[in-house]
Amino acid sequence: MISMVRFLLPLMLMAVPGWVYAAEMRVAVTTSFHNSGLSDVLLPQIKQDLDIDARLIVVGTGQALKLGRAGDVDAILVHSKKAEELFVEEGYGTHRREIMYNDFVIIGPSSDSAKVAAVTSVNAAFSAISASKPIFVSRGDDSGTHRKELALWKLAGLDSNAFEPNWYRAVGSGMGAALNTASGMNAYIMSDRASWLKFKNKGDLKLLFSGDPVLFNQYAYLPVNPAKHPHVHNEMAKALENWLVGKKAQTMIGAYKISDETLFIPNATPN
Amino acid sequence: MIDVWEGILQAFRLVYSLDRDLFEIVLLSLYVTLSAVIVASLIGLPLGAWLAVNRFRFRRATIALLNALMGLPPVVVGLIVYILFSRSGPFGVFGLLFTPTAMIIAQVIIITPLIASIAHQAIRDLWAEYHDLLISLTTSKKQRMKTLIWDARRSLLTASLAGFGRAIGEVGAIMIVGGNIDHVTRVLTTAIALETGKGDFALALGLGFILIGLAIAVNMAIHVLSKTERGGQW
Amino acid sequence: MTTILPLVLENVTVRKRDKTILKDISLNFAPVGFTIVMGPNGSGKTTLLRLMHGLERPRGGSVKWSSSEREARPQQAFVFQTPVMMRRSVIDNIAYPQIAHGVSRATSSSKAADWADNVGLAHVKSIEATNLSGGERQKLAIARALINQPELVFLDEPTTNLDGKSTREIEGILQKAFNGGTRIIMTTHDIGQAKRLATDVVFINRGELCEHSPAEEFFGATQSSAARAYLNGDIVE
Ligand SMILES: Nc1ncnc2c1ncn2[C@@H]1O[C@H](COP(=O)(O)OP(=O)(O)OP(=O)(O)O)[C@@H](O)[C@H]1O
Ligand SMILES: [Mg+2]
């Protein structure tokens, strides 16, 4: 036992200084944003310009809002307008600031038995899927993407609650895991464009439908209210917000590409 | 399609390139798990000895409970630790959520019952053997526990290593309480989960092989160290 | 010189489950002596020794020391029929009673080294005790029993399974301890050994005391028929 301690102590001493940072703040972000890789580009620049170490907690929109409510993060960056507005209304966030948007795409097997590639609106695409009932993977995790998908079924006049589980599979997991499942079952799925482009296990899946403005997905930044949680780093949260809506960040966001495709359209109203 | 071979290659590539991020992740994995094992052993081993040596009313119930707790679902532990250490929770003031300390706490909760339970079994057998001698020598309860823990050290090392095994491969709890924050709380298992989520199976598998290698290395190192220290056989 | 003796047993009965193992036994152990307890297998010798040492509780009767039982216990040692080998080196085994009684590590180690020498274990003192042979185990147990210089030592068949040479060596060690003032109560099936060592003999059969007499009397004019049969090597009814 003693030898174990002797062996471990130096290791611990080596490891400890690794996370003693000065200006550090925590931001809960959604999986789709993180998967896009945009954060890898923005974070070093934030460090350089603001001397802030922004630590990202990558979760679904539902959990991000929870973390904000509990005061466990200083700000959140999510995409579910209604939930965000409620968050501010209840006093957990100081305000909601739109930063950029991306879009959702419909993915499916290259054989496309539901003929989704041929339609021109997302309503038609969802109707075609519910008509021919190929396997469809739903996030089912109360994330922003999941909420969006539910809203789209409704928009197409369909009741997703009534779908039979033999084709409509709610997997209850993150975007990546859901894409893995879809790839494994050669199923249809709705994904954000970034997660899809970065996804490496595509198998026989391909992008079948995109471009309908209904599929646009607005990201907003919400600082957690210091009146509710006095310990939050509101100054840093404000500084980060100002930086995100600034010219430099907005340009970086617009210029970010994967496989030559633009992922995010910056649309913040400047200060 | 990616296969296991690709993962093995990836593992070698990662190790060979002495990737700084990888080094950090490995070090943090070791730090979190070994700290948890030490703390859990400091609690679990004496607890196992105490349960073996003492007769009290709810002893059987306590042991049954301990055995049941061995199967504690890590996610539930993670959730409970999260609730306790969340800013809105009872221990929120310490600001420990999303720190390695929170991860250590969660792992201690997960592996202490395992270590205590294995320790109890080993010490109970030794106590049956030593009982008459230690009673005859009018030893105090504390001395008995100390003696049994020392003399059962080989089995207890196994108990601690079993705890290490469970902790190093654990992902559910530390994902929740650590948050998998890059450079702060990202460890091998959460990195594997992340890469799997991105569909990068080769990288995930590569990290997996490094994890396995690390577990083997630590086990061997501890066995070698404890043997040379004793000099000769036990 | 002794503070805990004489030891007096008054009408002691020991029962386990529904079986009476010792029945209404009264004995008186003088402050000086080398008592040999004899009797057929299963007669209750081990139980009797354990009872006196406080490892068994009497169902009836009493065990009385001249001091309180609390004070008496640390002045006794017990060598079990199957000695317990602690999972540590021979020297650490022998030193253990010293450590347990708060003696410093340095003192107890040097004392244990002397004892390892006394009982002829010097050449194996740093190997782990579980590797010892049967005879070596007995020697270790005796050294461990004597290291704290108890007033009274119980030994339960310390030379069973040993060859003649080891038996004589152990007898020598015990004789020396006895000459040094240690009170000894020991069981054995070896009649020659009993004759060599005993100052007095206790004979029990089926849990009942048959006789307790000085050695010359026991071997010269055996009183009970059971003891006579046992000494003749006949089957004891
Ligand atoms: N826990 C127990 N439960 C029931 N019977 C027991 C128990 N312990 C001992 N006995 C019985 O008590 C009797 C006396 O046992 P003890 O060990 O005292 O005999 P012994 O004279 O030492 O025999 P041996 O010469 O073989 O060592 C035996 O018949 C034994 O089976
Ligand atoms: Mg016996």
Side-chain angles (χ1 to χ4, degrees), chain C residues 16-17 19 21 39-47 81 157 189:
Chain C
K16 272 192 182 160
R17 309 223 173 91
K19 197 177 167 202
I21 295 167
N41 289 132
S43 56
K45 302 182 295 297
T46 298
T47 310
Q81 197 163 351
E157 299 187 30
H189 287 291

Side-chain angles (χ1 to χ4, degrees), chain A residues 32-192:
Chain A
S32 47
F33 168 70
H34 183 254
N35 281 355
S36 72
L38 179 57
S39 56
D40 299 336
V41 177
L42 296 182
L43 287 183
Q45 197 61 47
I46 291 167
K47 167 89 180 160
Q48 203 175 62
D49 292 359
L50 304 175
D51 197 26
I52 289 176
D53 275 305
R55 301 302 183 194
L56 303 186
I57 319 275
V58 184
V59 289
T61 297
Q63 202 183 339
L65 290 163
K66 261 242 156 69
L67 291 175
R69 278 199 170 81
D72 292 324
V73 290
D74 303 310
I76 59 178
L77 181 66
V78 291
H79 53 89
S80 190
K81 192 170 176 184
K82 269 200 191 122
E84 290 156 19
E85 281 168 345
L86 187 67
F87 185 79
V88 174
E89 220 168 88
E90 288 172 349
Y92 291 105
T94 51
H95 60 282
R96 172 178 179 275
R97 188 73 178 264
E98 299 196 336
I99 304 291
M100 63 198 176
Y101 66 88
N102 68 346
D103 67 335
F104 290 111
V105 294
I106 298 175
I107 310 296
S110 54
S111 59
D112 191 17
S113 59
K115 303 272 173 287
V116 168
V119 302
T120 51
S121 76
V122 70
N123 270 357
F126 270 51
S127 302
I129 289 170
S130 79
S132 74
K133 300 187 180 176
I135 294 180
F136 184 94
V137 171
S138 165
R139 287 277 292 275
D141 63 349
D142 199 29
S143 59
T145 306
H146 181 221
R147 290 178 193 192
K148 181 80 180 182
E149 178 216 311
L150 295 182
L152 290 176
W153 289 117
K154 209 165 164 191
L155 208 67
L158 299 161
D159 178 12
S160 57
N161 282 327
F163 292 162
E164 301 91 21
N166 63 346
W167 70 274
Y168 185 79
R169 307 272 169 88
V171 293
S173 40
M175 198 67 249
L179 278 167
N180 273 328
T181 309
S183 172
M185 300 196 294
N186 216 13
Y188 284 80
I189 184 169
M190 189 186 93
S191 167
D192 61 282

Side-chain angles (χ1 to χ4, degrees), chain B residues 12 17 24 43 54 59 65 83 89 92 99-100 102 107 114 120 124 126 152-153 168 188 203-206 220 232:
Chain B
F12 275 108
S17 65
E24 200 177 40
I43 302 168
N54 284 283
R59 183 167 168 272
L65 181 71
I83 290 166
T99 65
Q107 295 210 328
L114 179 72
H120 168 249
R124 186 191 55 195
L126 196 65
R153 59 197 177 278
I168 192 82
L188 276 168
L203 184 53
L205 216 50
M220 294 210 305

